[in-house]
Amino acid sequence: MQFLKILFWCLLAFVAALFTYSNWNSIEIHLWSGLIAAVNLPLLLLVTFLIGFLPTYLYMGARRWRLRQRLTTCERTLADLRIAAVTPSPALVEPTLPVATPLPIAAAGEVPAETVPVSVVPATVVPVAVAPAETPPVDGAPVPAVPAEPEAAPSATPSAATAPDEPLAQGRLV
């Protein structure tokens, strides 16, 4: 393939040399205010060719440079995304609040050495309903989204479901 390229350029150079040799004539170009320029025809054709070729060649070079920069940026972003997809994300850990440990019950008439802390209820996660996005029906009128009702949060006071024989849950000793 390289041989064909060299052959093509050699043939093109031979045709240009033959054209230059056979058309080596001076041409008069009338410029402004009576100025006349005598220019050889091959030189005039070369200058007109370069005037048309160089701006388009420079534009093509700038365009290729911009596309190469965009391609490099996209490749870098793709590599970062691949790395992010391979590395596992840290697992979400639900925070738990400390729970008080029960102390031994003091005998009648004794004062306990330590005070009894109130037990702490572990944190509960209340799911929040998200309203669906509004999607227009077939006729084009928007459908209003129905707001979801939030669930009632658990209260901090003991309920009737709490057994009465749990003294630490109520914060007192028996």
Side-chain angles (χ1 to χ4, degrees):
M1 188 69 180
Q2 185 70 23
F3 173 74
L4 292 176
K5 285 181 185 179
I6 293 171
L7 183 64
F8 171 75
W9 286 111
C10 288
L11 286 175
L12 189 65
F14 177 74
V15 169
L18 188 63
F19 176 80
T20 303
Y21 180 73
S22 64
N23 290 314
W24 196 261
N25 301 332
S26 290
I27 297 177
E28 294 180 356
I29 300 176
H30 296 279
L31 301 174
W32 57 92
S33 65
L35 203 66
I36 297 175
V39 180
N40 290 332
L41 180 63
L43 181 62
L44 181 64
L45 290 177
L46 179 67
V47 168
T48 56
F49 172 76
L50 290 178
I51 286 174
F53 177 74
L54 283 179
T56 55
Y57 183 74
L58 292 175
Y59 175 75
M60 182 202 61
R63 180 94 172 144
R64 285 182 63 193
W65 179 79
R66 272 187 43 219
L67 289 174
R68 194 174 299 124
Q69 293 297 320
R70 286 177 59 190
L71 181 64
T72 303
T73 304
C74 289
E75 286 175 346
R76 191 177 312 122
T77 304
L78 184 62
D80 291 345
L81 289 175
R82 284 183 180 162
I83 289 172
V86 170
T87 55
S89 62
L92 296 176
V93 179
E94 182 179 321
T96 57
L97 300 174
V99 178
T101 57
L103 296 174
I105 299 176
E110 290 182 16
V111 177
E114 299 177 9
T115 59
V116 178
V118 178
S119 67
V120 180
V121 179
T124 58
V125 178
V126 178
V128 177
V130 178
E134 293 186 15
T135 56
V138 178
D139 61 353
V143 176
V146 179
E149 295 181 17
E151 295 181 13
S155 63
T157 60
S159 62
T162 308
D165 58 352
E166 294 179 353
L168 291 179
Q170 297 175 2
R172 60 184 170 88
L173 288 175
V174 177

